[in-house]
């Protein structure tokens, strides 16, 4: 028997492959589809204090080779709805529910974290890194601001929580952010958010593929897999397993998932793959991962997690 279960922030997941916050997890019917699927957890769209329409469309485009660009602009129903949804989801589906909090200000984040303490949510992913909120910088690139936010949140949050990070490219930046994160009771990081402010051009139309922000948007999927793997690996090494790493960014096959785990990930989320393939992606990736593990002679993900052979 090959066991691909994992434990994130002390919460057991039957499989290490679940949905990322973002695609098709904004409304209750969408979340119920995830509830009924083979995803071992239900992750919800990042929420704000109040309902947000998001950016004008088109705001998402598929790109060739399992990739994507988006500038959704944080469309969501407001956090109170997600607290209600969690109650319903927990009753109907026996799986952990993951909330994603993405407040516009420190005060907003404090209000939401307080409210989620008294909810049925199992895990909270704090998302200070959206690349698409017009007029807002990617907070994850500012260690001073991150420190201020994490100090406030850690005083309040009673649930197991972690931080969704934007991609880093320079070793100095990894070290700066890891130093901040290590000071707080952060159980995991989720790496990476989309690669911010890419540009996709349609040469026929001589226009960008999406409308908001003059066409600039977050790149996701296979195009960013190697950046995601590097981020997982670097944080795995810097945290020495004291803070877990959830990998996300371009996992489209079970072998991709294997690579993320080899780099050090304790679980892998899917975003573009889920967007493009829907719920059949979960059993497919599970089977592909199990088949590859069998071929390699591994029985659990701990047999090879982090054990990238580096000379
Ligand atoms: O809603 C979005 O535009 C969005 C968010 Br909050 C995020 O964290 N990452 C992303 O690619 N898009």
């Amino acid at each position: 028997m090959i066991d691909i279960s994992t434990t994130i922030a002390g919460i057991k997941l039957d499989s290490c492959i679940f949905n990322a916050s973002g695609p098709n997890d904004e409304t209750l019917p969408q979340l119920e589809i995830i509830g009924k699927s083979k995803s071992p957890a239900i992750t919800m769209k990042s929420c704000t204090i109040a309902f947000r329409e998001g950016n004008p469309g088109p705001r998402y485009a598929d790109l060739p080779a399992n990739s994507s660009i988006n500038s959704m602009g944080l469309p969501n129903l407001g956090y109170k709805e997600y607290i209600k949804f969690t109650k319903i989801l927990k009753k109907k589906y026996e799986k952990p529910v993951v909330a994603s909090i993405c407040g516009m200000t420190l005060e907003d984040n404090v209000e939401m974290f307080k409210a989620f303490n008294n909810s049925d949510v199992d895990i909270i992913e704090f998302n200070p890194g959206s690349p698409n909120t017009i007029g807002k910088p990617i907070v994850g690139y500012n260690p001073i601001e991150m420190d201020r936010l994490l100090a406030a949140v850690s005083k309040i949050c009673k649930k197991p929580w972690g931080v969704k990070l934007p991609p880093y490219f320079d070793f100095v930046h990894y070290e700066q952010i890891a130093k901040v994160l290590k000071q707080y009771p952060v159980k995991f990081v989720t790496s990476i958010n989309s690669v911010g402010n890419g540009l996709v051009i349609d040469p026929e139309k001589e226009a960008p593929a999406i409308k908001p922000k003059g066409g600039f948007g977050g790149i996701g999927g296979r195009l960013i897999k190697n950046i995601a793997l590097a981020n997982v690996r670097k944080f795995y090494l810097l945290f020495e397993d004291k803070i877990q790493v959830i990998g996300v960014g371009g996992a489209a096959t079970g072998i991709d998932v294997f690579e993320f785990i080899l780099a050090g990930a304790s679980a892998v989320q899917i975003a573009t793959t889920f967007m493009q393939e829907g719920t059949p992606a979960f059993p497919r990736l599970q089977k592909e991962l199990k088949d590859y593990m069998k071929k390699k002679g591994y029985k659990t993900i701990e047999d090879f997690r982090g054990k990238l052979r580096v000379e």
Side-chain angles (χ1 to χ4, degrees):
M1 259 305 269
I2 292 177
D3 176 3
I4 58 163
S5 69
T6 192
T7 301
I8 293 292
I11 307 288
K12 176 102 185 176
L13 303 180
D14 298 338
S15 144
C16 58
I17 306 157
F18 63 111
N19 76 299
S21 179
N24 292 333
D25 50 17
E26 190 187 326
T27 66
L28 186 58
Q30 289 174 329
L31 293 164
E32 295 229 26
I33 289 170
I34 300 164
K36 288 180 195 131
S37 79
K38 291 267 193 273
S39 176
I42 308 171
T43 311
M44 304 189 288
K45 172 69 183 169
S46 290
C47 62
T48 51
I49 295 282
F51 166 85
R52 278 173 65 91
E53 189 95 50
N55 295 339
R59 56 192 189 177
Y60 171 90
D62 283 330
L63 302 182
N66 301 110
S67 298
S68 64
I69 182 166
N70 88 85
S71 183
M72 305 301 289
L74 207 33
N76 77 96
L77 304 174
Y79 78 91
K80 287 181 184 152
E81 290 302 299
Y82 297 101
I83 289 178
K84 282 188 216 152
F85 293 170
T86 304
K87 209 176 181 107
I88 298 166
L89 295 167
K90 289 290 291 180
K91 229 178 241 166
K92 279 175 105 164
Y93 309 100
E94 282 175 15
K95 42 176 98 166
V97 174
V98 183
S100 172
I101 294 183
C102 186
M104 293 289 148
T105 63
L106 185 140
E107 293 70 31
D108 286 4
N109 285 312
V110 165
E111 178 179 332
M112 288 190 275
F113 269 94
K114 271 189 188 154
F116 274 105
N117 276 341
N118 304 315
S119 76
D120 297 323
V121 153
D122 297 277
I123 298 175
I124 298 178
E125 201 177 72
F126 180 37
N127 179 12
S130 171
N132 300 326
T133 316
I134 293 168
K136 289 268 169 194
I138 299 175
V139 180
Y141 288 143
N142 181 340
I144 295 166
E145 187 59 11
M146 279 288 271
D147 194 31
R148 197 176 78 96
L149 285 173
L150 297 185
V153 163
S154 46
K155 272 194 212 127
I156 293 159
C157 189
K158 296 196 178 79
K159 301 273 183 185
W161 64 286
V163 185
K164 175 96 167 251
L165 294 173
Y168 300 92
F169 303 93
D170 190 305
F171 286 174
V172 171
H173 296 154
Y174 283 108
E175 280 154 24
Q176 282 172 349
I177 213 72
K179 199 172 152 201
V180 172
L181 287 160
K182 278 183 189 169
Q183 290 171 39
Y184 300 103
V186 172
K187 294 273 190 286
F188 63 91
V189 295
T190 305
S191 273
I192 54 175
N193 208 319
S194 58
V195 174
N197 296 317
L199 179 64
V200 175
I201 290 177
D202 179 336
E204 274 306 308
K205 293 187 187 145
E206 302 183 17
I210 56 170
K211 184 172 175 189
K213 289 178 69 177
F216 291 86
I219 306 293
R222 258 290 170 77
L223 272 176
I224 69 166
K225 188 183 101 176
N226 301 93
I227 296 165
L229 282 173
N231 275 258
V232 166
R233 183 69 185 165
K234 198 69 188 163
F235 283 120
Y236 171 75
L237 296 172
L238 285 168
F239 293 142
E240 297 167 328
D241 244 1
K242 291 186 188 95
I243 298 177
Q244 293 183 291
V245 184
I246 301 176
V248 55
T253 69
I255 297 178
D256 293 333
V257 174
F258 182 87
E259 289 175 19
F260 273 103
I261 297 168
L262 204 55
S266 294
V268 175
Q269 296 177 344
I270 54 170
T272 301
T273 296
F274 176 52
M275 184 76 184
Q276 296 180 345
E277 186 178 338
T279 53
F282 297 110
R284 178 178 66 79
L285 292 185
Q286 286 177 11
K287 182 178 182 307
E288 289 171 0
L289 174 62
K290 282 184 186 168
D291 288 350
Y292 201 65
M293 284 170 61
K294 193 172 169 196
K295 197 175 130 195
K296 291 272 182 175
Y298 294 131
K299 291 196 168 62
T300 74
I301 70 165
E302 289 307 317
D303 291 346
F304 60 100
R305 189 175 63 83
K307 295 179 184 162
L308 184 67
R309 293 183 197 176
V310 181
E311 290 291 309

